[in-house]
Amino acid sequence: MSNPRIGTLLIACSSLLWACSLATTVEYDANAIIINGERRIIISGAIHYPRSTSQMWPDIIKKVKDGGLDAIETYVFWDLYEPARRQYDFSGNLDFIKFLKNVQEAGLYVVLQIGPYVCAEWNYGGFPMWLHNLLDRQRGL
């Protein structure tokens, strides 16, 4: 890999094509990502789907597409999906499969950043607080 930024881009974009059911090959070079033999420069914007209601998603996604973007970047927020150890919630605005399907239906790509750490000015970096408490107990604190 000749350029470290391309490597970073590849990592971020490796999950970008999750929402594109037609893509069969993804490659890259020093200038662009190559999807099915077509050189592409992906222009994306971030949407943190849990910060809006699922009813708002289609309109937000439409605005992204109308604005000329190719992809939506988003995180998977561990602290929201597992607020207490081994207790999971994927309902309402946490239904990321529904969000990803909405993006796919709009014909956009997804840059899915699965963490576990998320930036996004998110409390504790997206790690669930129970994890911190668990580590304290294991250390005897």
Side-chain angles (χ1 to χ4, degrees):
M1 209 170 317
S2 61
N3 185 332
R5 284 194 291 176
I6 296 299
T8 303
L9 179 63
L10 177 64
I11 292 167
C13 293
S14 63
S15 51
L16 171 136
L17 296 174
W18 184 91
C20 182
S21 61
L22 300 176
T24 55
T25 61
V26 180
E27 303 169 305
Y28 70 98
D29 63 19
N31 299 312
I33 290 180
I34 303 165
I35 302 171
N36 290 333
E38 180 184 344
R39 185 174 307 280
R40 299 287 312 267
I41 296 178
I42 303 297
I43 310 296
S44 67
I47 296 176
H48 303 144
Y49 58 92
R51 291 180 166 161
S52 56
T53 66
S54 60
Q55 293 80 14
M56 296 168 68
W57 295 342
D59 185 55
I60 294 169
I61 293 166
K62 182 182 183 315
K63 288 176 182 172
V64 167
K65 186 170 185 172
D66 290 348
L69 280 73
D70 302 302
I72 293 174
E73 302 170 32
T74 195
Y75 292 102
V76 175
F77 299 90
W78 181 11
D79 64 329
L80 296 179
Y81 293 109
E82 193 177 5
R85 189 169 187 214
R86 297 186 179 130
Q87 294 178 12
Y88 305 98
D89 182 8
F90 293 92
S91 63
N93 66 331
L94 300 180
D95 185 351
F96 74 92
I97 298 299
K98 180 179 179 179
F99 177 76
L100 297 177
K101 285 181 179 180
N102 281 208
V103 175
Q104 181 182 29
E105 289 167 5
L108 298 173
Y109 299 112
V110 171
V111 178
L112 187 61
Q113 302 176 48
I114 58 173
Y117 177 79
V118 300
C119 290
E121 296 76 41
W122 206 258
N123 288 339
Y124 203 49
F127 288 100
M129 206 52 171
W130 61 261
L131 182 64
H132 176 80
N133 299 333
L134 177 70
L135 293 173
D136 281 350
R137 281 195 305 268
Q138 287 177 348
R139 292 182 195 133
L141 300 175

